[in-house]
Amino acid sequence: MELPQHNSEDAPLHLESDGWVRQFVASGERLSELEQLYRSLGKEVKLIESASEFPELPENCRTCLTIPTAESYTIWTRIRK
Amino acid sequence: MSDCGCGDKPCTYVGGLDVGSTYTKAVILNSEGDIVGRSMCNTGFKLDVAAQKSFDGALADAEIDAEKVGYVISTGYGRHQVEFRDITVTALTAAARGAHWFFPNTRTVLDIGGQTMKATKLDDAIKVRSFRLNDKCAAGTGAFLEKTARYMNYGTEEIGELASSSTEDVEISGVCAVFAESEVINQLSIGSAPADIMHGAMNSLVGRSLQLMRRIKMEPEYTLIGGIMRFPTMVKALTAELGEGVNVPEGDLVQYVGAIGAATLAQQRFGKIEAESAEIIEA
């Protein structure tokens, strides 16, 4: 599993302009399974710690995702170059 | 449930278990690929217990003993807790197989369960080509409808009838299960009827489902599965949006699609193992 990124180049706008598509937020075993499934479909995968992209989520969702349960990551994919 | 239907041929059964977040479903197929037993129970907090209970129920329904079952595949979020399984498969794969079992021309599967919403696009070989899930929360799932009903003092089993008795459109803006209460209170305070609020909640889910399906570039035929599709109002609203080519398994079978998919894979796998064993014996 690719380690989560935290630098400013991974802000949603940068990712989108680089051809990345936001998929969804996942955690735990499901996260690694779905990451593998995307890779098997020929996609590059980037996992971003959800907290680092809160600005794009609605306020209600932001409140919910700050609850410290299993760590959540947003799956971003792009067609392998 | 029925005679196995295999006649004089040696009969070995296979099983599929779908341990979902809300319900656990088990299915037994005979060697002809027919469903001979099925059972469902609440998942609760002890996933292994729920798996055993639903499997025992399916065996009783099929009127066979566990030792007659040659291969078991589990799926769903609790699939790794099924101790008596042979292998596991993902919920997306099982749903794809199950949808194909019912409707061979399926190209898009929409699965809305208690905690997840999944849209999957399939190719001709029943392989997953594209998929999209809801974000890790209960927004836009069965939990949202359950909470909406509960805040109006209705039970889960009353949701279908309540929504179908709606006479006026009420717009529900969000699908967040946590904020369902404030949405309900707000609607009741302006005089909206519970039936209309429930109907509005379902329409909100339809909107969310379509967003997900568009993201995977959906194609007909569409097969709708999962517990939410028990509600005719939901199916009717989705059908109105999707147009032609919408399939829905009958009755409670709509909840068993993942388990059936797992069972059909079990049958395929078991057949291969049996054939390999026969080759070794012959050699």
Side-chain angles (χ1 to χ4, degrees), chain B residues 106-123:
Chain B
T106 299
R107 288 295 171 273
T108 306
V109 180
L110 174 66
D111 180 359
I112 312 182
Q115 298 285 337
T116 56
M117 180 186 276
K118 311 179 193 90
T120 313
K121 193 165 147 186
L122 313 178
D123 65 13

Side-chain angles (χ1 to χ4, degrees), chain B residues 166-201:
Chain B
S166 165
T167 55
E168 275 185 47
D169 285 339
V170 162
E171 192 176 336
I172 302 290
S173 57
V175 287
C176 176
V178 175
F179 287 86
E181 185 177 16
S182 58
E183 187 86 48
V184 167
I185 290 168
N186 184 41
Q187 287 297 336
L188 290 173
S189 70
I190 58 172
S192 301
D196 297 334
I197 295 171
M198 204 67 240
H199 191 264

Side-chain angles (χ1 to χ4, degrees), chain A residues 21-27 29-30 33-34 37-38 41 57 60 64-65 69-72, chain B residues 77 79-80 90 92 115-116 118 128-137 176 178-179 215:
Chain A
V21 176
R22 182 190 186 277
Q23 297 298 340
F24 47 85
V25 179
S27 66
E29 215 164 81
R30 170 173 281 181
E33 274 180 7
L34 295 173
L37 189 49
Y38 274 122
L41 295 174
L57 292 171
N60 292 351
C64 221
L65 287 170
T69 53
E71 284 183 70
S72 303
Chain B
Y77 104 110
R79 62 187 176 276
H80 298 292
T90 67
L92 293 172
Q115 298 285 337
T116 56
K118 311 179 193 90
V128 173
R129 277 291 152 254
S130 177
F131 66 93
R132 181 95 190 208
L133 274 68
N134 59 319
D135 281 324
K136 184 204 152 195
C137 73
C176 176
V178 175
F179 287 86
R215 294 298 295 267

Side-chain angles (χ1 to χ4, degrees), chain A residues 29-47:
Chain A
E29 215 164 81
R30 170 173 281 181
L31 175 69
S32 53
E33 274 180 7
L34 295 173
E35 183 206 2
Q36 282 168 29
L37 189 49
Y38 274 122
R39 288 192 194 284
S40 75
L41 295 174
K43 302 277 178 75
E44 282 185 78
V45 180
K46 194 184 272 281
L47 304 177

Side-chain angles (χ1 to χ4, degrees), chain A residues 1-76:
Chain A
M1 187 187 294
E2 188 175 321
L3 288 173
Q5 309 291 308
H6 297 285
N7 59 54
S8 60
E9 287 178 3
D10 287 324
L13 282 177
H14 283 102
L15 290 171
E16 280 170 10
S17 62
D18 253 359
W20 291 94
V21 176
R22 182 190 186 277
Q23 297 298 340
F24 47 85
V25 179
S27 66
E29 215 164 81
R30 170 173 281 181
L31 175 69
S32 53
E33 274 180 7
L34 295 173
E35 183 206 2
Q36 282 168 29
L37 189 49
Y38 274 122
R39 288 192 194 284
S40 75
L41 295 174
K43 302 277 178 75
E44 282 185 78
V45 180
K46 194 184 272 281
L47 304 177
I48 308 290
E49 206 168 21
S50 288
S52 67
E53 58 148 12
F54 273 0
E56 73 156 48
L57 292 171
E59 180 66 35
N60 292 351
C61 300
R62 276 182 254 165
T63 309
C64 221
L65 287 170
T66 52
I67 296 167
T69 53
E71 284 183 70
S72 303
Y73 294 93
T74 303
I75 302 174
W76 289 77

Side-chain angles (χ1 to χ4, degrees), chain B residues 15-19 24-25 51 71-91 93-94 258-259 261-263 265-266:
Chain B
L17 266 101
D18 178 3
V19 185
T24 296
K25 290 79 65 176
Y71 207 85
V72 175
I73 293 184
S74 60
T75 187
Y77 104 110
R79 62 187 176 276
H80 298 292
Q81 305 303 317
V82 183
E83 288 171 5
F84 52 91
R85 75 183 191 266
D86 289 285
I87 60 165
T88 66
V89 295
T90 67
T93 299
L265 283 164

